[in-house]
Amino acid sequence: MTPFPYKLVATDLDGTLLRSDDTVSQRTRDALAAATAAGAAHIVVTGRAVPWTRHILDDLGYDGLAVCGQGAQVYHAGEHRLLTSVTLDRQLAGLALSKLEAEVGPLALAASRDGLDGEVLVGPGYRVQEGPLPYVPYEDPADLWSAPLNKVYIQHPELDDDALALAARQTVGGLVDVVMAGAGVVEVLPLGLSKATGLSLAARRLGVKAVDTIAFGDMPNDIPMFAWAHHGVAMANAHDDLKAVAHEITASNDQDGIAVVLEELLSA
């Protein structure tokens, strides 16, 4: 049996590690455990900020590093401690949103506050996905900008996610970064921030390089992570833009696509 070829396994959460019912299958848990037993570290790399990620990591018994908030946060799950955090320049973000609204019309907004217990604020008209993740409604626009933020979520009444993300990048791409992270989830981020930013910081702490890394994902926000990692694996349910840059396409998240690839590597 040849040694496991990677020192780092980086996995997105939603649509990748998590099944549609927000659970992680036993098969995938076993495959990740086998990869770590073979010497690889596992890092969760998610768009979710720490407060929306912590309960999943705890359920997995995960005690290593996690990259949260699209790369803004490096979190030590075992110590429940935030190691690094990047915040959005609120004045710059406000300017960017004003410019974007002048181009496409009014937007519905939500935002993720910084910190271990940062709340997600949801404004009028913003369509929240059903589920257990907590959020706080607001009415006064000033509330959105009253505390440090990791990111702002934007929605448009007519433009779909891809069209809104494209319009935002074309209009304000020199002020902020914009990513499409899932259905109904277009995010405004600090300029230059990506999952690759946070993953490279976490990997450096572990003494691991990009050439040692295999990454799994499903959405366009995973493209920078695939560009950084040696090998990028897109799920069968992935967005076409991610599939276009992936080195490999595996089974869907509901069909244990991560486990399929890891089992093959472990048995090679």
Side-chain angles (χ1 to χ4, degrees):
M1 181 180 292
T2 58
F4 189 72
Y6 298 102
K7 296 179 182 178
L8 183 60
V9 178
T11 65
D12 172 47
L13 267 187
D14 296 280
T16 303
L17 182 62
L18 295 180
R19 297 184 294 188
S20 298
D21 63 0
D22 287 337
T23 64
V24 180
S25 74
Q26 190 59 51
R27 180 183 178 187
T28 296
R29 291 172 187 251
D30 291 344
L32 286 167
T36 55
H42 172 218
I43 287 188
V44 166
V45 185
T46 178
R48 299 186 188 209
V50 169
W52 277 9
T53 309
R54 188 167 44 208
H55 67 286
I56 297 170
L57 302 180
D58 290 346
D59 176 65
L60 288 171
Y62 183 103
D63 60 6
L65 301 182
V67 176
C68 302
Q70 302 295 8
Q73 300 170 318
V74 178
Y75 171 65
H76 194 304
E79 298 177 1
H80 293 93
R81 187 162 60 94
L82 200 56
L83 302 181
T84 66
S85 185
V86 177
T87 56
L88 182 64
D89 184 313
R90 284 170 280 171
Q91 184 174 357
L92 199 59
L95 174 63
L97 292 176
S98 296
K99 287 179 174 290
L100 181 57
E101 288 190 317
E103 187 70 24
V104 303
L107 299 166
L109 304 176
S112 174
R113 283 182 170 166
D114 185 41
L116 285 174
D117 300 306
E119 300 166 322
V120 172
L121 306 178
V122 173
Y126 192 90
R127 302 180 302 278
V128 180
Q129 297 179 7
E130 292 187 14
L133 298 176
Y135 63 90
V136 177
Y138 75 89
E139 295 291 337
D140 184 350
D143 290 344
L144 186 71
W145 310 107
S146 63
L149 304 174
N150 296 127
K151 58 185 169 183
V152 174
Y153 302 90
I154 58 175
Q155 291 178 346
H156 191 274
E158 297 172 1
L159 296 176
D160 66 21
D161 301 328
D162 289 306
L164 177 57
L166 178 60
R169 282 193 292 269
Q170 291 176 337
T171 306
V172 297
L175 299 174
V176 292
D177 265 331
V178 181
V179 297
M180 203 275 270
V185 185
V186 178
E187 301 179 358
V188 174
L189 306 172
L191 190 64
L193 180 71
S194 72
K195 285 190 174 185
T197 315
L199 180 56
S200 64
L201 286 174
R204 192 175 306 143
R205 286 176 175 268
L206 297 174
V208 178
K209 299 179 181 178
V211 71
D212 303 316
T213 303
I214 182 171
F216 295 84
D218 75 310
M219 280 291 164
N221 61 321
D222 294 314
I223 290 174
M225 179 169 70
F226 278 23
W228 183 84
H230 178 72
H231 193 76
V233 183
M235 314 305 286
N237 51 288
H239 191 284
D240 287 343
D241 287 356
L242 186 68
K243 288 181 177 178
V245 301
H247 298 97
E248 180 181 354
I249 297 174
T250 185
S252 73
N253 59 323
D254 287 327
Q255 296 174 317
D256 300 320
I258 291 175
V260 169
V261 173
L262 294 182
E263 289 166 356
E264 182 177 342
L265 291 171
L266 287 161
S267 64

